[in-house]
Amino acid sequence: MFKKGLFLLVLMVNVVFSQNELPLIPKPQSIQTEKGSFVITKETVIQADKKTFEANYLKAQIKELTGLDLPILPVSNANSKIALSFVVESIVSTGSNQYHLDITTKKVSIQAESDEGFFYGIQTFLQLIPSDSKTQIKVPCLKIDDEPKYAWRGMHLDCARHFFPKEFVKKYIDYIAMYKMNTFHWHLTDDQGWRIEIKKYPKLTEIGAWRNGSMIGHYNDQTYDDKRYGGFYTQEDVKEIVAYATQRHITVVPEIEMPGHAVAALAAYPEYSCTGGPFQVAKQWGVLDDVFCPKEETITFLEDVLTEVMALFPSKYIHIGGDECPKTRWKTCPHCQALIKEKGLKDEHELQSYFVQRIEKFVNKKGRKIIGWDEILEGGLAPNAAVMSWRGTEGGIEAAKQKHFVVMTPGSHCYFDHYQGDPKNEPLAIGGYTTVEKVYGFNPHQPNYLPRKPTTFWVLKPMYGPNIWKMLPK
Ligand SMILES: [Zn+2]
């Protein structure tokens, strides 16, 4: 995927800059190309006022890309004629993540108003270092003024269906950072696995993190292996990943699915279902009828879980899922039916809305906000909820009209569990056909419908694991 992405970019910049192939993703807002190039040699030094994370990050990345281990010198001590100069002009919190990158034959300088802007300037510079230049490392002279267009730029990773080790998650975060994204949406619970340690409910990971087999082949084939599969992140692992992401200016938004996609949790604690179980952690993908029963005990359980989750993740938003919740069990459950009567609700959709609003109230009380998939619009949107529009863009448009924050993640453009080329040459995918060109061409902002202010965001949401392994270069 990323390799293809770079290839695509070269093609695109060929059109825009016929003489200067700039391998930059995303394309900066303003680029002024100039003659000549800056050559990085072993004499080059990195000038930085202090040994900040950013300066060390730059040093490490340059070493990885070129093999050169450049020293970091304080600005006043640097006497090299040729220097990478990093100047943070002022860390005044203007809220701006702008940066200015200036590359001349003598010097590279990055100016920014925030550490974040500075980090983005570094990413742009790193993207300009040719990947195959072991002999002479030349970076083209230019001036770039840039800042991110959207407030939420992110990638999702589903670690519930497919468990990824901690080191992989960090690598994934590195790639997110490389493209100046600022959000890692970490899908931690689903029918097929519960992946986060919750101290008050140890069975969530003792039982919920393991399944006795997985679906292999296409959904319609309904074939399974019988290998025990699973894993989970301890709270220490989570802290480590959140800290790693934070250094890279990435917010980790955890997704704890409710009221649907809950079978792994119910396998551990069947008392929070409508029927009482028993359940097994799901081997199959898809949408399952057994979901949380929105009775008081369940809400207390989920509040306890969220309390531990919010202590680990400082993100403003907590993703509560909210998608694909069949109402089958609720329709015949005495608890659910009594609750519908008691609260004067119209139907099971309003019951879901009641449930989401209860959870929202709790999360809001802790100073956080909820975000959910666009199904949370059904039966009435919770007052402060943000919406992630995955079943097309309509849900996002509707939520934006209701003045809610929206993250555009339509399956047509943002799901990487689709084929990206001829299925013959691709790993197993859910179906569909979504090329890199289509993904890159997605414009989340539909000016006919949405306000022009940056209240909309966009996310790329790779859903199923095996494709990801293929996508990331080793
Ligand atoms: Zn029920």
Side-chain angles (χ1 to χ4, degrees):
M1 162 70 202
F2 288 103
K3 280 179 177 166
K4 280 191 210 162
L6 288 171
F7 177 61
L8 167 80
L9 180 89
V10 170
L11 291 179
M12 293 185 62
V13 292
N14 259 333
V15 178
V16 185
F17 309 99
S18 53
Q19 297 180 338
N20 301 285
E21 294 181 355
L22 296 177
L24 295 174
I25 294 179
K27 195 179 128 192
Q29 308 231 344
S30 153
I31 306 174
Q32 192 186 321
T33 53
E34 286 167 2
K35 285 206 174 98
S37 48
F38 176 87
V39 183
I40 307 175
T41 69
K42 60 183 193 327
E43 312 301 326
T44 306
V45 299
I46 297 171
Q47 283 178 253
D49 281 340
K50 49 187 174 177
K51 295 197 172 186
T52 57
F53 168 77
E54 280 74 16
N56 282 290
Y57 176 89
L58 177 74
K59 175 185 164 80
Q61 295 295 315
I62 289 177
K63 192 175 176 193
E64 203 179 312
L65 288 167
T66 67
L68 295 172
D69 191 8
L70 307 183
I72 302 174
L73 300 180
V75 176
S76 54
N77 289 12
N79 53 9
S80 171
K81 280 187 197 152
I82 296 178
L84 280 172
S85 168
F86 292 96
V87 186
V88 181
E89 265 209 328
S90 59
I91 307 192
V92 185
S93 51
T94 55
S96 160
N97 293 320
Q98 282 177 341
Y99 69 89
H100 175 73
L101 170 64
D102 193 356
I103 303 176
T104 68
T105 53
K106 300 235 153 53
K107 199 167 96 171
V108 175
S109 70
I110 297 172
Q111 292 168 301
E113 291 182 11
S114 65
D115 286 344
E116 212 166 329
F118 194 49
F119 190 70
Y120 297 150
I122 288 174
Q123 296 299 348
T124 299
F125 174 71
L126 291 171
Q127 286 189 17
L128 289 167
I129 296 177
S131 57
D132 56 351
S133 58
K134 292 292 172 206
T135 46
Q136 210 186 19
I137 303 145
K138 286 161 98 175
V139 180
C141 291
L142 48 70
K143 284 183 172 46
I144 286 178
D145 280 296
D146 191 22
E147 69 179 315
K149 192 169 173 188
Y150 292 101
W152 179 309
R153 309 175 306 280
M155 291 280 282
H156 163 282
L157 185 66
D158 180 355
C159 294
R161 274 62 170 255
H162 303 277
F163 179 70
F164 294 96
K166 192 171 65 182
E167 290 313 314
F168 178 89
V169 175
K170 286 186 181 173
K171 196 164 140 185
Y172 192 77
I173 288 168
D174 283 335
Y175 280 99
I176 295 176
M178 185 173 151
Y179 295 108
K180 307 186 185 90
M181 295 192 189
N182 65 354
T183 309
F184 170 44
H185 172 179
W186 198 7
H187 190 145
L188 287 165
T189 74
D190 215 296
D191 298 312
Q192 297 80 10
W194 183 283
R195 307 279 175 233
I196 177 170
E197 177 191 23
I198 299 296
K199 297 208 191 269
K200 193 162 181 182
Y201 299 96
K203 284 193 284 182
L204 283 171
T205 43
E206 282 165 20
I207 295 172
W210 306 93
R211 63 179 185 247
N212 293 320
S214 306
M215 193 170 237
I216 47 171
H218 280 286
Y219 186 81
N220 289 343
D221 303 339
Q222 292 287 319
T223 50
Y224 302 87
D225 66 24
D226 56 3
K227 289 179 207 150
R228 183 170 151 86
Y229 181 98
F232 66 92
Y233 307 97
T234 64
Q235 295 204 351
E236 288 310 306
D237 291 338
V238 170
K239 283 180 199 163
E240 191 180 320
I241 285 169
V242 168
Y244 189 85
T246 304
Q247 280 187 317
R248 287 155 183 78
H249 303 283
I250 289 170
T251 301
V252 187
V253 174
E255 179 175 351
I256 308 295
E257 277 264 16
M258 61 188 83
H261 287 295
V263 171
L266 296 177
Y269 296 97
E271 57 269 40
Y272 305 126
S273 70
C274 288
T275 65
F279 306 101
Q280 284 198 331
V281 179
K283 292 158 85 169
Q284 73 272 37
W285 318 137
V287 178
L288 305 177
D289 282 339
D290 287 295
V291 302
F292 285 122
C293 177
K295 55 195 169 190
E296 263 334 283
E297 303 90 292
T298 310
I299 288 177
T300 304
F301 161 74
L302 289 169
E303 288 179 353
D304 289 344
V305 167
L306 289 172
T307 298
E308 291 193 30
V309 167
M310 285 187 276
L312 292 166
F313 294 91
S315 58
K316 177 170 154 193
Y317 285 101
I318 302 294
H319 204 302
I320 54 122
D323 59 317
E324 298 180 325
C325 180
K327 309 298 182 284
T328 319
R329 296 288 180 260
W330 292 2
K331 279 182 180 154
T332 56
C333 168
H335 286 291
C336 290
Q337 291 306 313
L339 199 55
I340 287 175
K341 280 211 185 77
E342 185 197 321
K343 303 288 173 194
L345 305 170
K346 200 169 78 197
D347 56 15
E348 289 75 20
H349 290 289
E350 287 200 357
L351 181 58
Q352 174 157 348
S353 185
Y354 158 80
F355 167 84
V356 171
Q357 293 191 27
R358 280 290 302 271
I359 297 294
E360 176 179 64
K361 219 174 264 172
F362 178 76
V363 171
N364 286 171
K365 240 186 352 206
K366 302 250 175 187
R368 313 293 186 90
K369 291 187 171 186
I370 61 163
I371 181 166
W373 300 111
D374 54 68
E375 282 96 327
I376 67 168
L377 281 155
E378 293 164 10
L381 190 52
N384 306 311
V387 171
M388 213 170 239
S389 189
W390 75 285
R391 299 176 302 175
T393 52
E394 294 77 11
I397 291 164
E398 179 52 38
K401 280 182 180 163
Q402 296 180 30
K403 311 268 183 247
H404 286 254
F405 278 88
V406 171
V407 180
M408 286 295 195
T409 63
S412 56
H413 291 74
C414 298
Y415 276 54
F416 297 170
D417 53 351
H418 292 188
Y419 287 107
Q420 294 153 31
D422 186 341
K424 278 201 302 262
N425 309 320
E426 296 256 315
L428 183 72
I430 198 166
Y433 181 60
T434 303
T435 60
V436 171
E437 189 177 8
K438 186 175 172 188
V439 173
Y440 194 65
F442 175 57
N443 177 6
H445 216 122
Q446 305 194 19
N448 290 343
Y449 299 98
L450 294 172
R452 280 183 178 274
K453 283 182 186 163
T455 49
T456 41
F457 318 125
W458 64 285
V459 161
L460 301 177
K461 179 176 183 282
M463 192 88 176
Y464 289 88
N467 287 352
I468 306 298
W469 285 102
K470 286 273 181 181
M471 281 196 277
L472 299 179
K474 291 234 165 72

